[in-house]
């Protein structure tokens, strides 16, 4: 039973355009949502997070949007750069950091 | 600041053999996590320590997997005996604290150990 879903296994975007990565979850007890980026042969690195009491969080080129009623969040990257090419994981946890769950990931390719 | 260290980076064993992985978290990080990442899937949490106590081991296959964190610093994860389906990357992560008051701290991941069971 996948509690965190990323239905697009891959996404290709032209350099300079917007990348939108989507994530859906089923567990209404999740309170924190995070995005991690992973390059080959490396561990995931934290990108951005959002608490369930917010609907938007921004950090430079990265913005995460949360629609709690739809149990949906998305990561926007503007503008996309070739160095953003990686696998992006959506993750969620309870309000004390417990029950940490990752989605299956979306591979983003930013084309020059 | 030194990152999370893991060793070995790669390990190939026969099924039914034993294997152990080692993790050294970032200095001062109270919480340590072990994840299993099977090819094409997201990391799955196996066990979570706060200092040297277990916070969550609900997804650890306890008949063959064991983990310990001596003195609240380094940790080892052991598989005995290994099965073919244990082939995966084993990731260790650490974070500053387990927030008993709410919230979640950023997890910092090591490079992982790629295990192949033949």
């Amino acid at each position: 039973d996948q509690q965190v879903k990323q239905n697009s296994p891959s996404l290709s975007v032209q350099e300079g355009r917007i990348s939108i990565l989507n994530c859906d979850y089923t567990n209404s007890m999740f309170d924190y949502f995070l995005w991690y980026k992973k390059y080959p042969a490396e561990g995931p690195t934290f990108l951005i997070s959002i608490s369930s009491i917010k609907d938007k969080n921004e950090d430079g080129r990265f913005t995460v949007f949360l629609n709690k009623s739809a149990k949906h969040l998305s990561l926007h990257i503007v503008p996309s750069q070739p160095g953003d090419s990686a696998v992006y994981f959506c993750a969620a946890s309870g309000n004390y950091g417990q029950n940490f769950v990752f989605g299956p990931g979306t591979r983003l390719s930013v084309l020059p | 600041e030194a990152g999370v260290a893991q060793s070995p980076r790669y390990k190939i064993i026969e099924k039914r053999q034993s294997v152990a992985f080692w993790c050294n978290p970032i200095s001062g990080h109270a919480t340590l996590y072990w994840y299993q990442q099977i090819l094409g899937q997201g990391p799955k949490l196996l066990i979570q320590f706060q200092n040297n106590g277990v916070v969550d081991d609900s997804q650890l296959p306890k008949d063959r997997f064991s983990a310990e964190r001596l003195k609240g610093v380094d940790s080892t994860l052991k598989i005995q005996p290994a099965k073919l389906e244990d082939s995966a990357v084993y990731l260790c992560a650490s974070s500053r604290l387990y927030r008993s008051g709410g919230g979640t701290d950023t997890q910092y991941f090591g490079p992982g150990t790629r295990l192949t069971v033949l």
Side-chain angles (χ1 to χ4, degrees), chain B residues 38-58:
Chain B
I38 292 171
L39 188 64
Q41 300 180 18
K44 181 180 88 171
L45 180 66
L46 293 176
I47 188 166
Q48 179 180 349
F49 292 94
Q50 182 185 11
N51 296 313
N52 59 347
V54 175
V55 172
D56 182 1
D57 64 356
S58 56

Side-chain angles (χ1 to χ4, degrees), chain A residues 35-94:
Chain A
W35 285 93
Y36 280 80
K37 178 168 75 172
K38 186 181 183 304
Y39 293 119
E42 295 183 11
T45 55
F46 171 75
L47 205 52
I48 192 169
S49 65
I50 189 167
S51 159
S52 61
I53 61 173
K54 295 185 175 182
D55 55 15
K56 179 182 173 181
N57 189 25
E58 226 171 321
D59 184 2
R61 296 186 297 115
F62 302 92
T63 304
V64 56
F65 295 92
L66 175 63
N67 182 334
K68 205 173 174 188
S69 61
K71 294 191 177 69
H72 176 84
L73 63 154
S74 60
L75 174 68
H76 292 209
I77 306 174
V78 184
S80 301
Q81 299 173 354
D84 296 329
S85 297
V87 177
Y88 288 78
F89 292 101
C90 173
S93 75

Side-chain angles (χ1 to χ4, degrees), chain B residues 12-68:
Chain B
I12 301 174
I13 62 172
E14 301 275 339
K15 61 182 178 183
R16 291 188 289 273
Q17 285 186 321
S18 305
V19 65
F21 312 124
W22 174 81
C23 173
N24 183 247
I26 293 172
S27 177
H29 279 196
T31 310
L32 185 147
Y33 312 77
W34 282 104
Y35 290 87
Q36 178 193 59
Q37 186 179 13
I38 292 171
L39 188 64
Q41 300 180 18
K44 181 180 88 171
L45 180 66
L46 293 176
I47 188 166
Q48 179 180 349
F49 292 94
Q50 182 185 11
N51 296 313
N52 59 347
V54 175
V55 172
D56 182 1
D57 64 356
S58 56
Q59 297 196 91
L60 186 74
K62 298 181 186 64
D63 57 334
R64 299 185 299 107
F65 285 65
S66 64
E68 60 181 5

Side-chain angles (χ1 to χ4, degrees), chain A residues 2-3 32-34 36 38 41-47 49 87 89 93-105, chain B residues 9-10 33 35 37 40-43 45 48 56 59 91 98-112:
Chain A
Q2 263 192 336
Q3 297 186 66
Y32 286 90
F33 305 90
L34 308 93
Y36 280 80
K38 186 181 183 304
E42 295 183 11
T45 55
F46 171 75
L47 205 52
S49 65
V87 177
F89 292 101
S93 75
N95 60 347
Y96 298 111
Q98 77 278 29
N99 300 326
F100 209 89
V101 179
F102 277 86
Chain B
R9 291 296 310 274
Y10 305 92
Y33 312 77
Y35 290 87
Q37 186 179 13
Q41 300 180 18
L45 180 66
Q48 179 180 349
D56 182 1
Q59 297 196 91
L91 293 161
Y98 176 74
R99 291 178 178 265
S100 60
T104 186
D105 257 323
T106 299
Q107 294 182 34
Y108 297 86
F109 283 82

